[in-house]
Amino acid sequence: MRATILLLVTCLLGIYSSKAQEFAIGAKGGLNYYTIGDINSRGGSFQTGHPDELFSPNKELGYQFGGYFIAEYGKFFLRPEIVYLSSKNSYEFPDKKAYWKTSRIEVPVLVGFEIFDPVSIYLGPGFNFYNDTTLDGVQVTSYSDGGPDLDTTTVNFSFGVMVRFGRFGVDLRYEQGMKETQEELLDIVYSDYGVNLADLRSYKPNMLRLSVFIDIFRTNPDDLDGFFSNLFKSNKCHCPYN
């Protein structure tokens, strides 16, 4: 699936750059806040009759960096990206704080419109490929196979606003997962964290992201003597030597 998505993005770049009035390749980086689900501690798992206790996650700052291609058609634009994101949350358990960590590669395909100079709005899907997601203190026992066990490939939907100042810009984005996770039983080391069996509640992951970007290369395709407009024609090879 990863190869299919990358091939799709490559085709979009080839097709749309040939018709663009202007295009650019750039780099971006920034910070993010990631929202995940509550954890319900089963009090009876470590003391008979003890009440359950609910722990909500604290949002910790994560980071992101990557690159983008943008093809502009008047006030409209197409902006595929490839971004690495690292996110972190924490739970204030009775005896010790437990950290939730995850990272992923995201390939968003965004469509936008300049509402007035220098402000633009955009939206579009993002295709995610997760690395391992970990929560401190989770163990493999007869009650649980570890975890959190989350889908490694997901799709989200994003919308946002960007402000451009020449080659530089600022981008504020909200991202919502398209699918809710399944509730999961976790077995946590009680002697360290004061929580034993606990339910990770189902949730739709979402993220608030702030980044800055810079166009490393920006040009008008006419300056390339029709390279992109003829790239897929069989009668020219566009080799440097003929």
Coordinates of all heavy atoms in Angstrom, one line a residue, residues 45-83:
S45 N -8.7 -5.1 40.2 CA -7.6 -6.0 39.7 C -6.5 -6.1 40.7 O -5.6 -7.0 40.7 CB -7.1 -5.6 38.4 OG -6.5 -4.3 38.4
F46 N -6.4 -5.1 41.7 CA -5.3 -5.1 42.7 C -5.8 -5.1 44.1 O -5.1 -5.2 45.1 CB -4.3 -4.0 42.4 CG -4.8 -2.6 42.3 CD1 -5.1 -1.9 43.4 CD2 -5.1 -2.1 41.1 CE1 -5.6 -0.6 43.3 CE2 -5.6 -0.8 40.9 CZ -5.8 0.0 42.1
Q47 N -7.1 -4.8 44.3 CA -7.7 -4.8 45.6 C -9.2 -5.0 45.5 O -9.9 -4.2 44.8 CB -7.4 -3.5 46.4 CG -8.0 -3.5 47.8 CD -7.7 -2.2 48.5 OE1 -6.7 -1.5 48.2 NE2 -8.5 -1.9 49.5
T48 N -9.8 -6.1 46.1 CA -11.2 -6.4 46.0 C -12.0 -5.2 46.5 O -11.8 -4.7 47.5 CB -11.5 -7.7 46.8 OG1 -10.7 -8.7 46.3 CG2 -13.0 -8.0 46.6
G49 N -13.0 -4.8 45.6 CA -13.9 -3.8 46.0 C -13.4 -2.4 45.8 O -14.1 -1.4 46.0
H50 N -12.1 -2.2 45.3 CA -11.6 -0.9 45.1 C -12.2 -0.3 43.8 O -12.4 -1.0 42.8 CB -10.1 -1.0 44.9 CG -9.3 0.3 45.0 ND1 -9.3 1.2 44.0 CD2 -8.6 0.8 46.0 CE1 -8.6 2.3 44.4 NE2 -8.2 2.0 45.6
P51 N -12.6 1.0 43.9 CA -13.3 1.6 42.7 C -12.3 1.8 41.5 O -11.1 1.9 41.7 CB -13.8 2.9 43.3 CG -12.8 3.2 44.3 CD -12.4 1.9 45.0
D52 N -12.9 1.8 40.3 CA -12.1 2.1 39.1 C -11.7 3.6 39.2 O -12.3 4.4 39.9 CB -13.0 1.9 37.9 CG -13.2 0.4 37.6 OD1 -12.8 -0.4 38.4 OD2 -13.9 0.2 36.6
E53 N -10.6 3.9 38.4 CA -10.1 5.3 38.4 C -9.8 5.6 36.9 O -9.2 4.8 36.2 CB -8.9 5.4 39.3 CG -8.5 6.9 39.4 CD -7.3 7.0 40.4 OE1 -7.0 6.0 41.1 OE2 -6.8 8.2 40.6
L54 N -10.2 6.8 36.5 CA -10.0 7.2 35.1 C -8.9 8.2 35.0 O -8.8 9.2 35.7 CB -11.3 7.8 34.5 CG -11.3 8.1 33.0 CD1 -11.4 6.8 32.2 CD2 -12.6 8.9 32.6
F55 N -8.0 7.9 34.0 CA -6.8 8.8 33.8 C -6.9 9.3 32.4 O -7.0 8.6 31.4 CB -5.5 8.0 34.0 CG -5.3 7.5 35.4 CD1 -5.8 6.2 35.7 CD2 -4.8 8.2 36.4 CE1 -5.6 5.7 37.0 CE2 -4.6 7.8 37.7 CZ -5.0 6.5 38.0
S56 N -6.9 10.6 32.3 CA -6.9 11.3 31.0 C -5.5 11.7 30.6 O -4.6 12.0 31.5 CB -7.8 12.6 31.0 OG -9.1 12.2 31.2
P57 N -5.1 11.6 29.3 CA -3.7 11.9 28.9 C -3.4 13.3 29.0 O -4.2 14.2 28.7 CB -3.7 11.3 27.5 CG -5.1 11.5 27.0 CD -6.0 11.2 28.2
N58 N -2.1 13.6 29.3 CA -1.6 14.9 29.2 C -0.9 15.1 27.8 O -0.3 14.2 27.4 CB -0.5 15.2 30.3 CG -1.0 15.0 31.7 OD1 -2.1 15.5 32.0 ND2 -0.3 14.3 32.5
K59 N -1.1 16.2 27.2 CA -0.5 16.5 25.9 C 0.9 17.0 26.1 O 1.1 18.0 26.8 CB -1.4 17.5 25.1 CG -2.8 17.0 24.8 CD -3.5 18.0 24.0 CE -4.9 17.6 23.7 NZ -5.8 18.6 23.0
E60 N 1.8 16.3 25.5 CA 3.2 16.7 25.5 C 3.6 17.2 24.1 O 3.0 16.8 23.1 CB 4.1 15.6 25.9 CG 3.7 14.8 27.2 CD 4.3 15.4 28.4 OE1 5.2 16.3 28.3 OE2 3.9 15.0 29.5
L61 N 4.5 18.1 24.0 CA 4.9 18.6 22.7 C 5.7 17.6 21.9 O 6.6 16.9 22.4 CB 5.9 19.8 22.9 CG 5.2 21.2 23.0 CD1 6.3 22.3 23.2 CD2 4.4 21.5 21.7
G62 N 5.2 17.4 20.6 CA 5.9 16.5 19.7 C 6.6 17.4 18.6 O 6.4 18.6 18.6
Y63 N 7.2 16.7 17.7 CA 7.9 17.5 16.6 C 7.6 16.8 15.3 O 7.2 15.7 15.2 CB 9.4 17.7 16.9 CG 10.1 16.3 16.9 CD1 10.7 15.8 15.7 CD2 10.3 15.6 18.1 CE1 11.4 14.6 15.7 CE2 11.0 14.4 18.1 CZ 11.5 13.9 16.9 OH 12.2 12.7 16.9
Q64 N 7.9 17.6 14.2 CA 7.7 17.1 12.8 C 8.7 17.8 11.9 O 9.1 18.9 12.1 CB 6.3 17.4 12.4 CG 5.9 18.9 12.4 CD 4.5 19.2 12.4 OE1 3.7 18.3 12.8 NE2 4.1 20.4 12.0
F65 N 9.1 17.1 10.8 CA 9.9 17.7 9.8 C 9.7 16.9 8.5 O 9.3 15.8 8.5 CB 11.3 17.8 10.1 CG 12.0 16.4 10.4 CD1 12.5 15.7 9.3 CD2 12.1 15.9 11.7 CE1 13.1 14.4 9.6 CE2 12.6 14.7 11.9 CZ 13.1 13.9 10.8
G66 N 9.8 17.6 7.4 CA 9.6 16.9 6.1 C 9.8 17.9 4.9 O 10.4 19.0 5.0
G67 N 9.2 17.5 3.8 CA 9.3 18.3 2.6 C 8.0 18.3 1.9 O 7.0 17.6 2.2
Y68 N 7.9 19.2 0.9 CA 6.6 19.4 0.1 C 6.9 19.8 -1.3 O 8.0 20.3 -1.6 CB 5.7 20.4 0.8 CG 6.3 21.8 0.9 CD1 6.1 22.7 -0.2 CD2 7.0 22.2 2.0 CE1 6.7 24.0 -0.1 CE2 7.6 23.5 2.1 CZ 7.4 24.3 1.0 OH 8.0 25.6 1.1
F69 N 5.9 19.6 -2.1 CA 5.9 20.1 -3.5 C 4.6 20.8 -3.6 O 3.5 20.4 -3.2 CB 5.9 18.9 -4.5 CG 5.8 19.3 -5.9 CD1 6.9 19.6 -6.7 CD2 4.5 19.5 -6.5 CE1 6.7 19.9 -8.1 CE2 4.3 19.8 -7.8 CZ 5.5 20.1 -8.6
I70 N 4.6 22.0 -4.3 CA 3.4 22.8 -4.5 C 3.3 23.2 -5.9 O 4.3 23.7 -6.5 CB 3.3 24.0 -3.5 CG1 2.0 24.7 -3.7 CG2 4.5 24.9 -3.7 CD1 1.7 25.7 -2.6
A71 N 2.1 23.0 -6.5 CA 1.9 23.4 -7.9 C 0.7 24.4 -7.8 O -0.4 24.0 -7.3 CB 1.5 22.2 -8.8
E72 N 0.9 25.6 -8.4 CA -0.1 26.6 -8.3 C -0.8 26.9 -9.6 O -0.2 26.9 -10.7 CB 0.5 27.9 -7.8 CG 1.1 27.7 -6.4 CD 1.9 29.0 -5.9 OE1 2.0 29.9 -6.7 OE2 2.3 29.0 -4.7
Y73 N -2.1 27.1 -9.5 CA -3.0 27.4 -10.7 C -3.8 28.7 -10.4 O -4.9 28.6 -9.9 CB -3.9 26.2 -11.0 CG -3.2 24.9 -10.9 CD1 -3.1 24.2 -9.7 CD2 -2.7 24.3 -12.0 CE1 -2.5 23.0 -9.6 CE2 -2.0 23.1 -11.9 CZ -2.0 22.4 -10.7 OH -1.3 21.2 -10.6
G74 N -3.2 29.8 -10.6 CA -3.9 31.0 -10.1 C -3.9 31.0 -8.6 O -2.9 30.9 -7.9
K75 N -5.2 31.1 -8.1 CA -5.3 31.2 -6.6 C -5.5 29.8 -6.0 O -5.5 29.6 -4.8 CB -6.6 32.0 -6.3 CG -6.4 33.5 -6.5 CD -7.6 34.2 -6.0 CE -7.4 35.8 -6.1 NZ -6.3 36.2 -5.2
F76 N -5.6 28.7 -6.9 CA -5.7 27.3 -6.4 C -4.3 26.7 -6.4 O -3.4 27.1 -7.1 CB -6.6 26.5 -7.3 CG -8.1 26.9 -7.2 CD1 -8.6 27.9 -8.0 CD2 -8.9 26.4 -6.2 CE1 -9.9 28.3 -7.9 CE2 -10.2 26.8 -6.1 CZ -10.7 27.7 -7.0
F77 N -4.1 25.7 -5.5 CA -2.9 25.0 -5.5 C -3.0 23.5 -5.0 O -4.0 23.2 -4.3 CB -1.8 25.7 -4.6 CG -2.2 25.8 -3.1 CD1 -1.9 24.8 -2.2 CD2 -2.8 26.9 -2.7 CE1 -2.3 24.9 -0.9 CE2 -3.1 27.1 -1.3 CZ -2.9 26.0 -0.4
L78 N -2.1 22.7 -5.4 CA -2.0 21.3 -5.0 C -0.7 21.1 -4.3 O 0.3 21.6 -4.8 CB -2.1 20.4 -6.2 CG -1.8 18.9 -5.9 CD1 -3.0 18.3 -5.2 CD2 -1.5 18.1 -7.2
R79 N -0.8 20.5 -3.1 CA 0.4 20.5 -2.2 C 0.6 19.1 -1.6 O 0.1 18.8 -0.5 CB 0.3 21.5 -1.1 CG 1.5 21.6 -0.2 CD 1.3 22.7 0.8 NE 2.3 22.6 1.9 CZ 3.2 23.6 2.2 NH1 3.2 24.6 1.4 NH2 4.0 23.5 3.2
P80 N 1.2 18.1 -2.3 CA 1.6 16.9 -1.6 C 2.8 17.1 -0.7 O 3.7 17.9 -1.0 CB 2.0 16.0 -2.8 CG 1.5 16.7 -4.0 CD 1.6 18.1 -3.7
E81 N 2.9 16.3 0.4 CA 4.0 16.4 1.4 C 4.4 15.0 1.8 O 3.7 14.0 1.6 CB 3.5 17.2 2.6 CG 3.0 18.6 2.4 CD 2.5 19.3 3.7 OE1 2.4 18.6 4.7 OE2 2.3 20.5 3.6
I82 N 5.6 15.0 2.3 CA 6.0 13.7 3.1 C 6.6 14.2 4.4 O 7.6 15.1 4.3 CB 7.0 12.9 2.2 CG1 7.3 11.6 3.0 CG2 8.2 13.6 1.8 CD1 7.9 10.5 2.2
V83 N 6.1 13.8 5.5 CA 6.4 14.3 6.8 C 6.7 13.2 7.8 O 6.0 12.2 7.9 CB 5.3 15.2 7.3 CG1 5.7 15.9 8.6 CG2 4.9 16.3 6.3

